[in-house]
Amino acid sequence: MMKRTHTCGELTNVNAGQSTTLMGWVDTRRDHGQLVFVDLRDREGITQIVFDATIGGVHDIAKTLRSEFVVAVTGKIRVRGEGLANPNLKTGEIEVVADSLTVLSEAKTTPFPIESDTTTSEDLRLKYRYLDLRRPKLQENFRLRHKINTTVRNTMDKHGFWEVETPILTKSTPEGARDYLVPSRLAHGNFYALPQSPQLFKQLLMISGFEKYYQIVRCFRDEDLRADRQPEFTQVDIEMSFPSQEELFGIIEEMMVDVFTLKGVQIPTPLPRITFDEAMNKYGSDKPDTRFDVFLQDFSEIFKKADACVFREMAEAGQTIRGFMAPGVSYSRKVLDDLTNYVKQMGAAGLAWIKPTDEGMSSAPVVKNAGPAAIDAVLKQAGAKNGDMVFLMAGDREPVLNLMGALRLELARRENWIPAGKWNMLWVLDFPLLEFSAEENRWVSRHHPFTSPVEADMGLLETNPGAVRAQAYDLVLNGTEIGGGSIRIHRSDVQARIFKTLGFTEAEARDKFGFFLEALEYGTPPHGGIALGLDRIVMILAGQASIRDVIAFPKTARAVDVMSGSPSGVSEQQLKELGLQIRKTT
Ligand code: ASP
């Protein structure tokens, strides 16, 4: 067997005159009669091979080559003729004149061409994912992903974190999503759950005295999928004992700086920090996109003093009126209708606006009724000039903020407010510990039930649960959450109080997390950690719009692997062994 001496991405005119053996895939073949040119491709790049009819043997075989054949070529490296260099290729100055050619394997015609930019439907590409992954752009994504993993491991190792694996067949963990279940063959009617995250295990490792743990780990959540979600996804999962938030933030920031340097992106540290309240009030989001300076404002006070109108009634009844100034925006009726529909689809009652122009002022009727003084005051507070617009919405605080936050982003998209090449990473702090679930009619954890409340707020747990802050933090990049974590509860009495607040009876808490509550009683160090969404980080750095482009074998939006055909039915025998029977739904 011949030995490969170089990759297809490394030869330059420095190598001219040398011999080489290359192996790879036929990317393209151009037949010029006497001369046949083949672009030979491997994961490192492309090298042009020339098969000359005057060189015995090889030319005839070269004529039979087709795209995606795998071949080995030996030949001499020579500088290409005057004006024939290809500046787009690293190897563009040279070519290899073949004197031997071996076809290592033939290939059927592929269902789509192997090229970086493709118009082939994603379904077809996913069916033949192994071919899709040959596309140079995707290969670059995985090179980047590998380098990010390596950087993560280096940073963790440097700071004394141990990489420890935790079980995949486990007990249901409470991250709040639906579990994937695995039936037990040995105990019919019992199920393992695939971990939504290793949350309890990493905390147990702290109780075990491991002090610093990390894992690049697969997590499973059976949720409805969106572009940046997959049923299985990867987290960089981290936990440490005796932590201070500052120490943990320092380590994560160092890791992020190193990871982003891989793509030449500089992240200035220390990262800015913003509280949850400020993020909501200014940006209408708990993952604020701070790349453009359009800020939400509170106009409630103005409307309390307005002429009698709906907005005044709402403000007086304790509802809120929030809005923002959209600079340089003067929309027609049609666009305003579109925007109104946009927020209505998300649950808004409506959208109000004021449009001051050189020709005069117009506004939505709900605002007009508030009278000219109120309108003037709004424009003044918003800093709006002729040719700008102010958008307003009234209602309950949290939904209004969320809706105006979404509208702010929608306008940024329409108006190109977000400058290219900006990377705004920041911490969001002081989240509320709990939120009220109308559906379940109880308080639920915003992060997960092991998050520690802020010490000073402990007294409010029973009296005003909604006001208790959590020692939780999220890492946000350009308006996307890329990580989140918290300082944990390390005392069993506090943990029991939280479960109580969440509406678990003691028996329920014992049944679900008894092993963990017991573990807490054997000497638990204060501990805390974080999990970073690796797929999203790679996706953003690779400049991709979907995490499927950075996961080797992803599933479709319907959670299907169209290549292998999973999920799929199983045999009667398998079901029998598992003690399962499929109920036919008609
Ligand atoms: N386990 C949490 C999550 O997956 C992260 C953490 O609290 O460390 O969201």
Side-chain angles (χ1 to χ4, degrees), residues 175 197 199 202 221 235 237 448 484-486 488 529-531:
E175 306 291 340
S197 88
Q199 186 61 36
K202 67 173 173 176
R221 296 182 193 178
Q235 285 186 345
D237 196 43
H448 50 62
S486 59
R488 323 296 182 189
I530 191 167

Side-chain angles (χ1 to χ4, degrees), residues 55 76 92 173 195 248 252 263 327 376 427 432 449 478 480 493 529:
I55 299 177
K76 261 239 158 61
T173 44
L248 185 66
I252 300 302
K263 283 292 267 185
D376 268 358
W427 294 105
N478 291 355
T480 300
D493 57 330

Side-chain angles (χ1 to χ4, degrees), residues 207-481:
I207 300 175
S208 304
F210 280 23
E211 294 192 20
K212 288 173 169 182
Y213 143 94
Y214 85 100
Q215 187 179 191
I216 298 180
V217 66
R218 202 70 59 82
C219 303
F220 306 84
R221 296 182 193 178
D222 189 359
E223 292 176 301
D224 292 331
L225 307 180
R226 296 195 306 249
D228 57 353
R229 289 230 182 114
Q230 278 281 303
E232 41 182 312
F233 59 94
T234 305
Q235 285 186 345
V236 179
D237 196 43
I238 295 172
E239 195 75 10
M240 68 189 292
S241 295
F242 316 112
S244 77
Q245 191 174 287
E246 292 312 314
E247 193 184 351
L248 185 66
F249 280 17
I251 295 167
I252 300 302
E253 291 185 10
E254 182 187 322
M255 181 191 288
M256 287 297 121
V257 166
D258 289 350
V259 162
F260 279 72
T261 303
L262 292 171
K263 283 292 267 185
V265 175
Q266 270 180 22
I267 301 289
T269 54
L271 296 181
R273 300 175 188 191
I274 183 172
T275 63
F276 170 82
D277 269 342
E278 192 186 350
M280 288 307 295
N281 283 328
K282 265 175 92 172
Y283 301 96
S285 170
D286 61 359
K287 37 182 189 295
D289 192 332
T290 61
R291 286 175 296 172
F292 60 101
D293 286 343
V294 168
F295 304 120
L296 269 53
Q297 290 184 19
D298 187 347
F299 297 98
S300 312
E301 290 307 312
I302 293 176
F303 285 97
K304 279 184 193 160
K305 289 179 237 126
D307 294 352
C309 66
V310 180
F311 271 22
R312 174 165 167 178
E313 280 167 29
M314 291 175 83
E316 281 176 338
Q319 293 194 297
T320 193
I321 294 141
R322 304 288 166 125
F324 62 84
M325 191 271 280
V329 154
S330 208
Y331 286 143
S332 67
R333 223 25 234 236
K334 157 95 183 57
V335 179
L336 291 170
D337 286 346
D338 286 350
L339 291 174
T340 305
N341 283 335
Y342 175 78
V343 289
K344 275 189 172 168
Q345 269 170 18
M346 289 186 295
L351 179 65
W353 45 270
I354 309 172
K355 184 161 99 171
T357 68
D358 290 341
E359 287 76 49
M361 166 115 60
S362 56
S363 59
V366 268
V367 193
K368 195 172 283 153
N369 295 341
I375 291 183
D376 268 358
V378 169
L379 291 176
K380 197 160 161 236
Q381 183 184 318
K385 309 176 301 306
N386 286 356
D388 301 331
M389 282 189 79
V390 175
F391 291 93
L392 295 164
M393 195 183 286
D396 291 333
R397 182 177 173 275
E398 197 155 330
V400 163
L401 287 176
N402 281 318
L403 288 161
M404 289 312 271
L407 182 68
R408 172 182 177 270
L409 292 177
E410 174 61 18
L411 272 132
R413 273 188 290 274
R414 285 173 180 257
E415 299 301 320
N416 276 321
W417 283 340
I418 300 177
K422 242 185 160 180
W423 301 86
N424 284 17
M425 199 184 287
L426 51 89
W427 294 105
V428 181
L429 304 172
D430 287 347
F431 282 85
L433 184 72
L434 306 161
E435 61 194 343
F436 195 76
S437 160
E439 205 176 300
E440 296 181 50
N441 192 31
R442 65 174 184 99
W443 292 96
V444 294
S445 306
R446 264 193 110 100
H447 279 76
H448 50 62
F450 312 105
T451 306
S452 176
V454 167
E455 198 70 38
D457 296 351
M458 282 292 290
L460 300 170
L461 253 186
E462 286 79 17
T463 52
N464 187 4
V468 177
R469 286 166 301 165
Q471 294 193 52
Y473 30 78
D474 276 0
L475 187 61
V476 172
L477 171 66
N478 291 355
T480 300
E481 184 197 325

